[in-house]
């Protein structure tokens, strides 16, 4: 098509559409002829929007089905719970756990065999390593009596996607993630606080509200952990609330594997204690526990005068009462000692000292007990060799130690864990790859639970049903789109038949006219695609906003553990507009434009061919609006009548 032909069709297009409003910037005014492209523009925008949204909705159905069955972690995918295979003694092969050959390091995840495995240690109900205070603080039956759920937890690496989604990489080891849905149904706050009363100093207990309007107001919780082999300690955890946790198992809480490693080490080594780096003495030395106060020279002048100002013996009684039932006082001549059996945070005990008016008493000597320093990094623990039991010394590195720091794994045998399957992967294929994984000795590594396999079978069947229905709906939609565009273009082209006849009479080939009109058609649909982006965004945002307040979305957050509940789940795109990924938007609009353009071009060809606009068509046929045969029919009829006469 030469330049002159191109200008003819571009002139009609620009004058007829006014470049869809943009022509005013260039002084182009819209004329009546060619205005039917405006109607085609609107119809094309609607069709492209519907097709694009149908593509996104289809993805939303399949991905939400997977999320509902298996859960979903942002940026990681569906979590699959796996066990150690019986052929390997139900223990995960070290190559997948990340234990180095010399057992000096352990990774949070590995990609052995291109399978990202994240170790998980289960914390059973009333576990000796970690449990909630009070036997009546947790009820297996919910408040409505319709569920039997134990208080079960997980210990995860701080690099695990589940931990990162809720708590983040910067969360300390004293952070705990709690399932709000399970705690509301099974946790008895009044029983919990009652169990804390005899074990906490008054200042700490006052920070535990007597009543709560909503459990979500609670920002910290105490758990009972081993302090030494035969003693326990209440450890304060900062709460991160999750509506529910994404797993087929009913998980009530999640802690870091650092904390569980400390608890396991304390339980198995008499020389270690649950003393943290934040437990510091008056010289700012870590791993020191405050165990009492000594007041010396109580009968001497300065001390006696200060004690009298504080209230004398009544001040000591106030201090003992503030410290709680485990505290006791021993007085000897010019010395008073106050000791307690519970393990307190030094800040709480010092607050009691200030409340009793004894903080500035001369010759006050706090008593601290130092404990061996432990450094923990996930499952790997470093501690003094002399503090370990003989069994653990044999497993420590370096071997056959006598003194000095050594490293060992308190929970060496990993029996469970999570493998995440990204959203763009076929779950069935990945599960086959997981089951086919082999360890260092050539045996199978993972065993997948029957609940996941059952869920996968149901999900696979449902996806196939959806796929068949989608094909049928796509075919029906294509027929409907063809019919609408055909009916729209038939009068458009018919109105141009005379103009096309004149162009043919002036020497333009029918093929050039085909190309010219189809160029106009594609330009119109390109403008429709731009408008379709706006319509698509408005439709997505409106429907998502309406869905967020629905009962279905609330149920998904509370029952399935989905952090972001959307009709069309958001992809992990680097760029997005109001929650709609740019790559997804571009792909949906591009596919919709291509489908609409193909159907429109076919419709245009059929209508122009029936005009008739063909290789040997006469200009008069187009100008008169009749084919050559139709124009010659009256003459043939007259000749036939004359012959009969």
């Amino acid at each position: 098509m030469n330049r002159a032909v191109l200008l003819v069709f571009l002139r009609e297009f620009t004058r007829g559409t006014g470049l869809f409003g943009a022509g005013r910037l260039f002084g182009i005014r819209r004329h009546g002829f060619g205005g039917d492209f405006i109607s085609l523009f609107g119809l094309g925008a609607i069709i492209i929007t519907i097709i694009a949204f149908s593509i996104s909705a289809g993805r939303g159905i399949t991905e939400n089905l997977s999320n509902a069955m298996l859960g979903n972690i942002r940026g990681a995918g569906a979590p699959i719970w796996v066990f150690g295979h019986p052929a390997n003694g139900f223990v995960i092969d070290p190559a997948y756990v990340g234990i180095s050959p010399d057992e000096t390091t352990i990774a949070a995840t590995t990609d052995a065999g291109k399978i990202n495995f994240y170790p998980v240690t289960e914390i059973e109900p009333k576990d000796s390593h970690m449990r909630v205070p009070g036997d009546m603080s947790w009820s297996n039956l919910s408040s409505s009596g319709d569920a039997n759920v134990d208080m079960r937890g997980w210990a995860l690496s701080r690099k695990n996607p589940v931990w990162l989604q809720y708590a983040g990489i910067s969360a300390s080891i004293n952070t705990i993630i709690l399932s709000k849905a399970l705690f509301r149904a099974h946790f008895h706050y009044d029983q919990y606080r009652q169990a804390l009363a005899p074990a906490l100093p008054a200042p700490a207990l006052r920070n535990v509200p007597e009543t709560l309007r909503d459990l979500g107001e609670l920002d910290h919780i105490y758990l009972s952990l081993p302090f030494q082999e035969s003693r326990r300690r209440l450890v304060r955890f900062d709460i991160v609330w999750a509506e529910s946790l994404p797993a087929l198992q009913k998980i009530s809480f999640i802690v870091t594997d650092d904390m569980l490693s400390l608890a396991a080490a304390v339980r198995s080594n008499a020389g270690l204690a649950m003393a943290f780096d934040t437990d510091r003495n008056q010289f700012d030395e870590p791993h020191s526990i405050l165990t009492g106060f000594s007041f010396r020279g109580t009968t001497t002048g300065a001390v006696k005068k200060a004690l009298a100002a504080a209230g004398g013996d009544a001040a000591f009684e106030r201090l003992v009462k503030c410290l709680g039932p485990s505290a006791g006082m021993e007085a000897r001549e010019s010395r008073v000692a106050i000791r307690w059996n519970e393990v307190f945070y030094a800040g709480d005990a010092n607050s009691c000292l200030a409340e009793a008016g004894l903080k500035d008493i001369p010759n006050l000597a706090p008593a601290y007990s130092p404990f061996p320093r432990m450094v923990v990094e996930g499952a790997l623990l470093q501690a003094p060799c002399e503090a370990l039991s003989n069994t653990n010394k044999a497993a420590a590195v370096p071997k056959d130690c006598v003194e000095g720091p050594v490293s060992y794994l308190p929970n060496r045998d990993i029996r469970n864990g999570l493998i995440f399957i990204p959203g763009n992967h076929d779950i069935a294929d990945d599960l086959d790859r997981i089951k086919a994984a082999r360890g260092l000795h050539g045996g199978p590594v993972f065993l997948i639970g029957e609940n996941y396999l059952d869920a996968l079978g149901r999900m696979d069947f449902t996806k196939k049903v959806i796929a068949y229905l989608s094909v049928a709906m796509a075919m029906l939609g294509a027929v409907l789109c063809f019919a609408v565009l055909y009916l729209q273009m038939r009068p458009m082209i018919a109105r141009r038949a005379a103009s096309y006849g004149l162009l043919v009479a002036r020497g333009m080939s029918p093929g050039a006219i085909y190309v010219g009109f189809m160029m106009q058609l594609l330009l119109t649909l390109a403008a429709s695609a731009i408008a379709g982006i706006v319509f698509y965004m408005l439709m997505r945002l409106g429907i998502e906003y309406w869905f967020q307040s629905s009962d279905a979305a609330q149920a998904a957050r509370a029952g399935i553990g989905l952090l972001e509940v959307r009709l069309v789940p958001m992809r992990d795109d680097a760029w997005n507009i109001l929650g709609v990924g740019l790559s997804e938007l571009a792909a949906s609009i591009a596919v919709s434009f291509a489908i609409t353009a193909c159907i429109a071009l076919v419709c245009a060809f059929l209508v122009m061919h029936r005009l008739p606009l063909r290789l040997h068509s006469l200009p008069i046929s187009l100008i008169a609006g009749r084919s050559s045969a139709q124009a010659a029919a009256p003459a043939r009829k007259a000749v036939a009548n004359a012959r009969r006469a």
Side-chain angles (χ1 to χ4, degrees):
M1 185 170 63
N2 58 37
R3 182 178 180 182
V5 175
L6 178 65
L7 290 175
V8 169
F9 285 95
L10 283 179
R11 187 181 300 114
E12 180 197 9
F13 179 78
T14 54
R15 290 179 177 179
T17 62
L19 295 180
F20 306 102
R24 295 180 180 179
L25 300 175
F26 307 99
I28 299 175
R29 294 185 178 182
R30 190 169 70 86
H31 297 276
F33 189 76
D36 44 13
F37 282 113
I38 299 294
S39 301
L40 181 61
F41 161 77
L43 180 62
I46 294 173
I47 292 175
I48 288 173
T49 302
I50 292 174
I51 295 175
F53 188 79
S54 299
I55 294 171
S56 297
R59 182 179 68 81
I61 292 173
T62 55
E63 291 193 13
N64 276 318
L65 175 64
S66 174
N67 295 346
M69 291 287 189
L70 302 175
N72 182 268
I73 298 299
R74 183 178 52 206
I80 304 298
W81 181 252
V82 296
F83 308 91
H85 200 278
N88 198 34
F90 298 98
V91 176
I92 305 295
D93 192 279
Y96 288 86
V97 174
I99 300 176
S100 62
D102 59 359
E103 298 186 5
T104 58
T105 60
I106 181 167
T109 178
T110 64
D111 57 357
K114 297 183 179 180
I115 294 177
N116 290 330
F117 172 75
Y118 293 83
V120 176
T121 303
E122 288 188 288
I123 303 173
E124 299 294 337
K126 301 187 184 301
D127 193 298
S128 61
H129 292 112
M130 194 174 298
R131 57 175 179 252
V132 68
D135 293 334
M136 303 300 293
S137 299
W138 184 272
S139 173
N140 289 359
L141 289 176
S142 68
S143 54
S144 58
D146 59 356
N148 191 349
V149 178
D150 292 319
M151 187 173 180
R152 191 180 306 274
W154 282 352
L156 307 178
S157 163
R158 280 185 278 178
K159 295 181 181 179
N160 189 300
V162 177
W163 182 267
L164 293 176
Q165 173 166 288
Y166 293 101
I169 190 66
S170 61
S172 71
I173 66 171
N174 288 88
T175 300
I176 187 170
I177 304 170
L178 299 183
S179 168
K180 188 178 291 186
L182 291 183
F183 265 73
R184 279 176 174 163
H186 300 275
F187 185 63
H188 300 298
Y189 181 75
D190 54 341
Q191 297 290 335
Y192 159 76
R193 193 179 189 282
Q194 186 177 340
L196 292 180
L200 288 180
L205 190 62
R206 282 196 296 270
N207 289 328
V208 181
E210 292 187 12
T211 58
L212 293 173
R213 288 177 299 176
D214 182 76
L215 197 60
E217 298 175 357
L218 194 64
D219 60 0
H220 67 273
I221 189 172
Y222 286 91
L223 294 184
S224 175
L225 277 71
F227 176 67
Q228 289 177 306
E229 273 189 319
S230 58
R231 296 179 64 192
R232 302 193 68 81
R233 174 182 185 177
L234 290 179
V235 178
R236 173 174 167 153
F237 288 84
D238 297 321
I239 295 176
V240 174
W241 287 106
E243 285 295 334
S244 65
L245 297 172
L248 290 185
Q249 307 96 319
K250 293 293 185 181
I251 301 302
S252 307
F253 67 95
I254 297 176
V255 295
T256 65
D257 55 357
D258 308 59
M259 188 63 75
L260 194 67
S261 296
L262 289 173
V266 169
R267 288 281 296 175
S268 60
N269 297 282
L272 297 178
M274 184 68 72
F276 301 106
D277 186 68
T278 53
D279 292 320
R280 294 176 176 266
N281 61 17
Q282 69 271 41
F283 305 112
D284 201 33
E285 296 171 340
H287 304 276
S288 298
I289 300 296
L290 181 61
T291 59
F293 297 115
S294 292
F295 300 86
R296 297 166 183 164
T298 56
T299 58
T300 61
V303 178
K304 184 177 181 180
K305 184 178 179 180
L307 286 175
D313 291 341
F316 292 124
E317 292 174 0
R318 289 196 302 269
L319 177 57
V320 172
K321 183 179 179 180
C322 180
L323 291 170
S326 71
M329 181 175 64
E330 180 183 355
R332 293 183 182 178
E333 298 180 356
S334 63
R335 179 177 176 272
V336 175
I338 295 177
R339 297 285 188 270
W340 50 85
N341 295 324
E342 297 287 349
V343 181
F344 297 153
Y345 287 101
D348 295 331
N350 287 324
S351 295
C352 284
L353 193 68
E355 290 179 13
L358 300 172
K359 183 178 181 181
D360 298 321
I361 299 296
N363 296 338
L364 168 62
Y368 284 91
S369 295
F371 293 95
R373 184 172 185 265
M374 292 188 293
V375 178
V376 63
E377 184 178 352
L380 186 69
L381 184 99
Q382 186 181 84
C385 174
E386 56 271 21
L388 300 184
S389 66
N390 292 332
T391 302
N392 290 324
K393 284 181 182 179
V397 178
K399 302 289 186 183
D400 303 321
C401 66
V402 177
E403 60 180 10
V406 293
S407 299
Y408 89 107
L409 302 168
N411 295 305
R412 185 183 185 279
D413 292 338
I414 303 298
R415 300 179 180 274
N416 314 293
L418 294 172
I419 295 175
F420 294 91
I421 298 180
N424 58 350
H425 284 209
D426 184 272
I427 294 180
D429 291 344
D430 276 23
L431 288 183
D432 289 339
R433 188 162 53 86
I434 292 170
K435 289 186 286 187
R438 292 294 180 267
L440 297 175
H441 303 292
V445 179
F446 301 112
L447 182 67
I448 301 174
E450 290 296 328
N451 48 0
Y452 282 98
L453 296 177
D454 180 66
L456 177 66
R458 297 170 186 270
M459 185 174 61
D460 187 54
F461 169 75
T462 308
K463 281 186 175 181
K464 288 179 179 177
V465 171
I466 293 173
Y468 280 105
L469 292 176
S470 298
V471 171
M473 292 299 295
M475 294 175 64
L476 180 62
V479 171
L480 180 62
C481 181
F482 177 87
V484 171
L485 288 174
Y486 184 86
L487 293 175
Q488 172 69 23
M489 275 187 275
R490 188 173 179 181
M492 282 181 63
I493 295 174
R495 282 193 291 270
R496 289 168 172 74
S499 299
Y500 293 160
L502 292 174
L503 291 175
V504 172
R506 293 177 180 178
M508 186 179 293
S509 68
I513 296 175
Y514 272 85
V515 174
F517 180 77
M518 291 181 179
M519 177 195 66
Q520 294 174 327
L521 188 61
L522 290 176
L523 289 174
T524 303
L525 292 179
S528 297
I530 296 173
I533 294 175
V534 178
F535 293 162
Y536 175 87
M537 290 291 297
L538 292 174
M539 182 178 291
R540 277 283 298 269
L541 294 175
I543 291 180
E544 289 290 358
Y545 178 79
W546 166 69
F547 177 68
Q548 291 305 312
S549 59
S550 67
D551 293 338
Q554 296 296 333
R557 295 188 190 98
I560 304 176
L562 297 180
L563 190 63
E564 294 180 348
V565 182
R566 303 173 65 89
L567 274 176
V568 182
M570 187 171 65
R571 291 278 176 86
D572 299 315
D573 290 347
W575 300 94
N576 69 80
I577 301 176
L578 299 176
V580 179
L582 290 183
S583 62
E584 176 195 357
L585 175 63
S588 299
I589 293 296
V591 171
S592 305
F593 171 77
I595 293 173
T596 306
C598 289
I599 295 176
L601 292 176
V602 171
C603 291
F605 177 82
L606 293 177
V607 173
M608 296 178 79
H609 190 266
R610 288 176 55 84
L611 195 59
L613 182 59
R614 302 166 190 169
L615 183 62
H616 301 293
S617 296
L618 298 175
I620 189 61
S621 302
L622 297 170
I623 296 172
R626 295 182 298 175
S627 65
S628 302
Q630 290 173 331
R636 287 198 303 269
K637 185 176 181 181
V639 171
N641 291 336
R643 287 176 178 176
R644 283 196 297 270

